[in-house]
Amino acid sequence: FRVEVLVTCPAGRQATVSLSYLVGGASWTPAYEARANEPAKTVELATWATVTQATGEDWAGVKLVLST
């Protein structure tokens, strides 16, 4: 991909530029599990995520953040 960005700021100042984009074809599904230990009267909760992507892009080394 190619992106061209023109950024200006006052002389002697600095600017930080960050580029991000959204792409279709990616999704995730949460899975939850609860395990009860009756003798100990405790419950253990666990969460997993299944990530699916059909974007046609290579996700090697991607930093992924999931949010509900």
Side-chain angles (χ1 to χ4, degrees):
F1 297 101
R2 179 181 170 168
V3 176
E4 292 184 30
V5 179
L6 174 62
V7 179
T8 62
C9 65
R13 304 296 292 263
Q14 294 183 348
T16 301
V17 178
S18 175
L19 176 67
S20 64
Y21 69 103
L22 299 175
V23 63
S27 64
W28 73 280
T29 305
Y32 306 97
E33 182 177 281
R35 294 182 184 181
N37 182 332
E38 290 186 43
K41 296 184 180 180
T42 61
V43 176
E44 178 183 316
L45 302 174
T47 305
W48 290 272
T50 300
V51 177
T52 304
Q53 76 99 344
T55 64
E57 297 182 11
D58 181 4
W59 282 22
V62 71
K63 292 181 181 179
L64 185 64
V65 177
L66 305 175
S67 177
T68 58

XYZ file of all heavy atoms in Angstrom:
507
model
N 0.830 -1.181 0.000
C 0.000 0.000 0.000
C 0.872 1.240 0.000
O 1.974 1.229 0.532
C -0.908 0.018 1.226
C -1.868 -1.141 1.250
C -1.623 -2.245 2.040
C -2.999 -1.122 0.455
C -2.494 -3.305 2.058
C -3.875 -2.173 0.466
C -3.636 -3.277 1.268
N 0.351 2.293 -0.567
C 1.085 3.553 -0.579
C 0.182 4.642 -0.022
O -0.974 4.765 -0.406
C 1.499 3.901 -2.005
C 2.233 5.206 -2.090
C 2.609 5.532 -3.498
N 3.098 6.898 -3.554
C 3.715 7.399 -4.581
N 3.911 6.665 -5.644
N 4.114 8.646 -4.558
N 0.733 5.429 0.884
C 0.004 6.530 1.487
C 0.877 7.769 1.422
O 2.060 7.711 1.737
C -0.344 6.217 2.968
C -1.025 7.406 3.613
C -1.199 4.978 3.059
N 0.289 8.869 1.015
C 0.995 10.145 1.020
C 0.296 11.072 1.991
O -0.925 11.220 1.944
C 1.008 10.761 -0.381
C 1.854 9.972 -1.362
C 1.944 10.652 -2.711
O 1.882 11.903 -2.752
O 2.079 9.937 -3.697
N 1.081 11.665 2.895
C 0.526 12.552 3.921
C 1.359 13.820 3.956
O 2.584 13.763 3.975
C 0.552 11.867 5.316
C 0.008 12.794 6.383
C -0.211 10.561 5.282
N 0.689 14.948 3.962
C 1.371 16.236 4.091
C 1.084 16.760 5.496
O -0.076 16.928 5.874
C 0.866 17.238 3.046
C 1.406 18.656 3.177
C 2.924 18.676 3.002
C 0.727 19.563 2.168
N 2.138 16.977 6.264
C 2.000 17.451 7.641
C 2.777 18.743 7.776
O 3.918 18.832 7.341
C 2.540 16.405 8.645
C 2.419 16.933 10.064
C 1.811 15.093 8.485
N 2.140 19.739 8.382
C 2.843 20.991 8.647
C 2.676 21.341 10.124
O 1.695 20.959 10.758
C 2.289 22.157 7.800
O 0.931 22.380 8.130
C 2.418 21.856 6.319
N 3.669 22.035 10.643
C 3.574 22.550 12.003
C 4.453 23.797 12.075
O 5.306 24.006 11.208
C 3.971 21.493 13.035
S 5.673 20.964 12.969
N 4.261 24.628 13.073
C 5.044 25.870 13.181
C 6.545 25.576 13.235
O 6.974 24.532 13.742
C 4.562 26.485 14.491
C 3.206 25.889 14.726
C 3.280 24.514 14.147
N 7.329 26.499 12.715
C 8.793 26.362 12.719
C 9.293 26.159 14.139
O 8.804 26.783 15.091
C 9.426 27.611 12.110
N 10.240 25.246 14.302
C 10.827 24.980 15.606
C 10.005 24.025 16.459
O 10.383 23.735 17.582
N 8.891 23.538 15.948
C 8.041 22.606 16.686
C 8.174 21.222 16.081
O 8.681 21.056 14.982
C 6.575 23.045 16.629
C 6.300 24.461 17.130
C 6.604 24.673 18.601
N 5.720 23.959 19.480
C 4.656 24.462 20.069
N 4.335 25.731 19.867
N 3.911 23.743 20.866
N 7.706 20.213 16.790
C 7.743 18.838 16.309
C 6.331 18.283 16.238
O 5.444 18.731 16.980
C 8.577 17.951 17.228
C 10.042 18.308 17.250
C 10.831 17.335 18.123
O 10.263 16.550 18.873
N 12.140 17.405 18.032
N 6.138 17.340 15.369
C 4.841 16.676 15.248
C 5.065 15.173 15.191
O 6.045 14.705 14.620
C 4.116 17.141 13.993
N 4.183 14.432 15.818
C 4.203 12.981 15.746
C 3.020 12.546 14.890
O 1.891 12.989 15.127
C 4.087 12.352 17.146
O 5.182 12.805 17.933
C 4.088 10.838 17.075
N 3.281 11.695 13.920
C 2.232 11.239 13.015
C 2.082 9.732 13.156
O 3.070 8.998 13.186
C 2.576 11.588 11.546
C 1.514 11.069 10.603
C 2.747 13.090 11.403
N 0.848 9.282 13.257
C 0.550 7.860 13.365
C -0.501 7.524 12.310
O -1.471 8.268 12.135
C 0.028 7.546 14.764
O -0.364 6.195 14.844
N -0.323 6.416 11.623
C -1.254 6.009 10.580
C -1.853 4.664 10.942
O -1.148 3.731 11.309
C -0.515 5.896 9.233
C -1.345 5.391 8.067
C -2.427 6.401 7.710
C -0.444 5.119 6.877
N -3.156 4.561 10.846
C -3.834 3.288 11.052
C -4.979 3.207 10.050
O -5.388 4.218 9.474
C -4.349 3.159 12.496
O -5.320 4.150 12.745
N -5.486 2.010 9.848
C -6.606 1.846 8.937
C -7.425 0.638 9.348
O -6.981 -0.203 10.114
C -6.119 1.707 7.493
C -5.385 0.411 7.205
C -6.038 -0.611 6.525
C -4.067 0.220 7.581
C -5.384 -1.798 6.257
C -3.412 -0.955 7.312
C -4.067 -1.962 6.643
O -3.428 -3.142 6.373
N -8.644 0.578 8.863
C -9.543 -0.533 9.129
C -9.682 -1.360 7.861
O -9.659 -0.826 6.756
C -10.921 -0.025 9.555
C -10.964 0.814 10.821
C -12.376 1.349 11.037
C -10.529 -0.011 12.013
N -9.847 -2.655 8.032
C -9.995 -3.545 6.886
C -11.102 -4.548 7.191
O -11.235 -5.010 8.329
C -8.663 -4.257 6.564
C -8.200 -5.138 7.688
C -8.765 -5.041 5.281
N -11.910 -4.841 6.209
C -12.968 -5.832 6.381
C -12.403 -7.245 6.281
O -11.279 -7.447 5.843
N -13.179 -8.234 6.674
C -12.754 -9.624 6.556
C -12.053 -10.161 7.788
O -11.477 -11.243 7.745
N -12.079 -9.399 8.879
C -11.461 -9.857 10.120
C -12.521 -9.856 11.213
O -13.357 -8.961 11.278
C -10.305 -8.945 10.518
N -12.492 -10.868 12.064
C -13.448 -10.927 13.165
C -12.876 -11.768 14.291
O -11.871 -12.451 14.131
C -14.776 -11.534 12.695
O -14.593 -12.878 12.289
N -13.547 -11.689 15.427
C -13.163 -12.541 16.558
C -14.411 -12.908 17.336
O -15.412 -12.199 17.323
C -12.113 -11.873 17.440
C -12.608 -10.748 18.294
C -12.829 -9.463 17.917
C -12.928 -10.809 19.687
N -13.263 -8.718 18.980
C -13.344 -9.524 20.079
C -12.909 -11.825 20.639
C -13.718 -9.224 21.378
C -13.291 -11.522 21.933
C -13.675 -10.237 22.293
N -14.324 -14.045 17.985
C -15.434 -14.556 18.774
C -14.914 -14.951 20.150
O -13.955 -15.722 20.245
C -16.061 -15.795 18.102
O -16.439 -15.446 16.775
C -17.266 -16.285 18.864
N -15.525 -14.422 21.218
C -15.077 -14.806 22.551
C -15.666 -16.150 22.972
O -16.725 -16.559 22.500
C -15.613 -13.683 23.438
C -16.845 -13.225 22.736
C -16.563 -13.393 21.258
N -14.959 -16.835 23.850
C -15.458 -18.078 24.464
C -15.185 -17.970 25.958
O -14.113 -17.524 26.372
C -14.749 -19.290 23.880
N -16.158 -18.369 26.751
C -16.050 -18.254 28.201
C -16.229 -19.624 28.838
O -16.966 -20.458 28.336
C -17.128 -17.311 28.750
C -17.124 -15.960 28.097
C -17.999 -15.662 27.056
C -16.232 -14.973 28.511
C -17.988 -14.416 26.449
C -16.221 -13.731 27.907
C -17.105 -13.459 26.874
O -17.094 -12.227 26.277
N -15.541 -19.823 29.942
C -15.664 -21.084 30.670
C -15.655 -20.793 32.162
O -14.868 -19.977 32.642
C -14.493 -22.001 30.319
C -14.547 -23.344 30.991
C -13.390 -24.231 30.541
O -13.465 -24.797 29.449
O -12.406 -24.315 31.301
N -16.549 -21.452 32.888
C -16.593 -21.339 34.350
C -16.479 -22.745 34.929
O -17.210 -23.649 34.524
C -17.884 -20.684 34.800
N -15.544 -22.942 35.842
C -15.349 -24.243 36.497
C -15.602 -24.074 37.988
O -14.906 -23.320 38.665
C -13.932 -24.748 36.290
C -13.612 -25.077 34.862
C -12.213 -25.624 34.754
N -11.872 -25.863 33.373
C -10.723 -26.353 32.979
N -9.784 -26.628 33.882
N -10.476 -26.548 31.708
N -16.588 -24.791 38.476
C -16.933 -24.721 39.901
C -16.231 -25.841 40.662
O -16.203 -26.984 40.222
C -18.438 -24.838 40.080
N -15.643 -25.492 41.787
C -15.044 -26.454 42.689
C -15.894 -26.421 43.956
O -15.697 -25.569 44.827
C -13.585 -26.092 42.975
C -12.903 -27.086 43.876
O -13.544 -27.742 44.701
N -11.592 -27.178 43.746
N -16.867 -27.312 44.009
C -17.822 -27.284 45.124
C -17.178 -27.479 46.498
O -17.500 -26.741 47.429
C -18.930 -28.303 44.883
C -19.855 -27.883 43.743
C -21.032 -28.816 43.585
O -21.618 -29.204 44.610
O -21.357 -29.145 42.433
N -16.255 -28.448 46.667
C -15.653 -28.604 48.003
C -14.924 -27.338 48.472
O -14.984 -26.980 49.643
C -14.674 -29.763 47.827
C -15.200 -30.544 46.658
C -15.808 -29.515 45.753
N -14.264 -26.663 47.548
C -13.516 -25.452 47.913
C -14.393 -24.197 47.858
O -13.954 -23.121 48.252
C -12.322 -25.276 46.984
N -15.609 -24.350 47.337
C -16.533 -23.229 47.179
C -15.899 -22.087 46.389
O -15.959 -20.910 46.756
C -17.034 -22.740 48.536
C -17.849 -23.785 49.260
C -18.406 -23.258 50.554
C -19.226 -24.362 51.225
N -19.796 -23.944 52.490
N -15.264 -22.468 45.252
C -14.640 -21.478 44.381
C -15.121 -21.689 42.943
O -15.592 -22.767 42.584
C -13.102 -21.588 44.400
O -12.731 -22.890 43.939
C -12.540 -21.340 45.787
N -14.971 -20.651 42.154
C -15.278 -20.716 40.722
C -14.101 -20.106 39.968
O -13.637 -19.013 40.304
C -16.573 -19.950 40.377
C -16.805 -19.949 38.869
C -17.763 -20.546 41.100
N -13.610 -20.824 38.981
C -12.518 -20.345 38.133
C -13.116 -19.909 36.805
O -13.860 -20.654 36.167
C -11.504 -21.469 37.893
C -10.361 -21.082 36.992
C -9.434 -22.258 36.722
O -9.095 -22.989 37.661
O -9.072 -22.434 35.551
N -12.827 -18.675 36.398
C -13.335 -18.144 35.133
C -12.196 -18.017 34.129
O -11.095 -17.600 34.483
C -13.986 -16.782 35.348
C -15.149 -16.732 36.335
C -15.586 -15.294 36.552
C -16.305 -17.580 35.839
N -12.473 -18.370 32.871
C -11.469 -18.261 31.810
C -12.127 -17.690 30.563
O -13.315 -17.891 30.326
C -10.863 -19.620 31.508
N -11.352 -16.960 29.778
C -11.825 -16.384 28.525
C -10.804 -16.665 27.428
O -9.599 -16.554 27.650
C -11.988 -14.853 28.656
O -12.829 -14.570 29.757
C -12.592 -14.258 27.411
N -11.305 -17.044 26.261
C -10.468 -17.251 25.080
C -11.061 -16.473 23.926
O -12.224 -16.085 23.960
C -10.442 -18.729 24.676
C -9.706 -19.603 25.623
C -8.377 -19.892 25.622
C -10.256 -20.323 26.720
N -8.069 -20.732 26.649
C -9.218 -21.024 27.350
C -11.538 -20.449 27.248
C -9.405 -21.827 28.447
C -11.727 -21.251 28.349
C -10.672 -21.929 28.934
N -10.268 -16.290 22.888
C -10.761 -15.641 21.678
C -10.321 -16.454 20.465
O -9.186 -16.922 20.398
C -10.214 -14.225 21.573
N -11.229 -16.607 19.525
C -10.902 -17.205 18.236
C -10.896 -16.071 17.216
O -11.904 -15.391 17.030
C -11.940 -18.265 17.832
O -11.962 -19.286 18.825
C -11.615 -18.864 16.482
N -9.744 -15.851 16.595
C -9.595 -14.778 15.616
C -9.602 -15.388 14.225
O -8.895 -16.355 13.957
C -8.279 -13.995 15.849
C -8.080 -12.927 14.790
C -8.264 -13.392 17.246
N -10.419 -14.806 13.357
C -10.508 -15.257 11.966
C -10.203 -14.075 11.069
O -10.703 -12.974 11.291
C -11.938 -15.766 11.664
O -12.269 -16.785 12.595
C -12.032 -16.310 10.256
N -9.383 -14.309 10.063
C -9.116 -13.230 9.132
C -9.047 -13.774 7.717
O -8.398 -14.769 7.448
C -7.855 -12.440 9.528
C -6.536 -13.083 9.245
C -5.916 -12.541 7.962
O -6.571 -11.916 7.156
N -4.649 -12.818 7.761
N -9.785 -13.107 6.833
C -9.804 -13.446 5.410
C -9.596 -12.161 4.617
O -10.308 -11.865 3.679
C -11.133 -14.108 5.054
N -8.615 -11.380 5.045
C -8.370 -10.073 4.441
C -7.468 -10.148 3.218
O -7.395 -9.199 2.459
C -7.701 -9.139 5.458
O -6.409 -9.667 5.789
C -8.524 -8.993 6.723
N -6.755 -11.260 3.089
C -5.777 -11.351 2.015
C -4.454 -10.715 2.389
O -3.523 -10.681 1.585
N -4.345 -10.202 3.606
C -3.112 -9.575 4.067
C -2.366 -10.513 5.003
O -2.964 -11.337 5.679
C -3.423 -8.272 4.808
C -4.075 -7.226 3.935
C -4.316 -5.927 4.679
O -3.799 -5.758 5.797
O -5.026 -5.080 4.129
N -1.049 -10.370 5.048
C -0.210 -11.162 5.947
C -0.225 -10.514 7.322
O 0.123 -9.348 7.462
C 1.215 -11.203 5.393
C 2.151 -12.025 6.243
O 1.700 -12.647 7.227
O 3.355 -12.064 5.924
N -0.629 -11.264 8.327
C -0.700 -10.729 9.681
C 0.513 -11.125 10.518
O 0.499 -10.992 11.732
C -1.978 -11.197 10.373
C -3.203 -10.444 9.964
C -3.385 -9.740 8.813
C -4.405 -10.305 10.705
N -4.627 -9.184 8.781
C -5.290 -9.514 9.940
C -4.837 -10.778 11.924
C -6.555 -9.193 10.365
C -6.109 -10.451 12.349
C -6.958 -9.664 11.576
N 1.566 -11.586 9.909
C 2.764 -11.984 10.661
C 3.296 -10.785 11.446
O 3.468 -9.695 10.907
C 3.836 -12.499 9.714
N 3.489 -10.966 12.743
C 4.053 -9.926 13.588
C 3.088 -8.819 13.966
O 3.480 -7.820 14.556
N 1.818 -8.984 13.640
C 0.840 -7.939 13.953
C 0.598 -7.855 15.457
O 0.666 -8.848 16.169
C -0.487 -8.202 13.202
C -1.219 -9.396 13.784
C -1.401 -6.990 13.251
N 0.365 -6.647 15.967
C -0.020 -6.443 17.347
C -1.550 -6.365 17.345
O -2.127 -5.518 16.680
C 0.577 -5.163 17.919
C 2.072 -5.228 18.063
C 2.611 -3.936 18.652
C 4.115 -4.007 18.768
N 4.669 -2.749 19.313
N -2.181 -7.247 18.080
C -3.625 -7.383 18.044
C -4.221 -7.065 19.413
O -3.767 -7.606 20.419
C -4.000 -8.809 17.631
C -5.461 -9.127 17.434
C -6.030 -8.310 16.287
C -5.623 -10.614 17.144
N -5.212 -6.195 19.443
C -5.923 -5.849 20.671
C -7.390 -6.135 20.438
O -7.964 -5.684 19.449
C -5.729 -4.360 21.043
C -6.541 -4.007 22.266
C -4.266 -4.048 21.246
N -8.001 -6.915 21.337
C -9.413 -7.239 21.239
C -10.172 -6.507 22.313
O -9.704 -6.360 23.434
C -9.622 -8.756 21.385
C -8.833 -9.625 20.421
C -9.032 -11.100 20.746
C -9.226 -9.336 18.987
N -11.365 -6.042 21.972
C -12.169 -5.280 22.919
C -13.635 -5.610 22.725
O -14.071 -5.854 21.617
C -11.939 -3.787 22.710
O -12.768 -3.041 23.567
N -14.368 -5.633 23.822
C -15.810 -5.846 23.725
C -16.531 -4.533 23.889
O -15.997 -3.582 24.408
C -16.291 -6.822 24.815
O -15.935 -6.284 26.085
C -15.687 -8.186 24.629
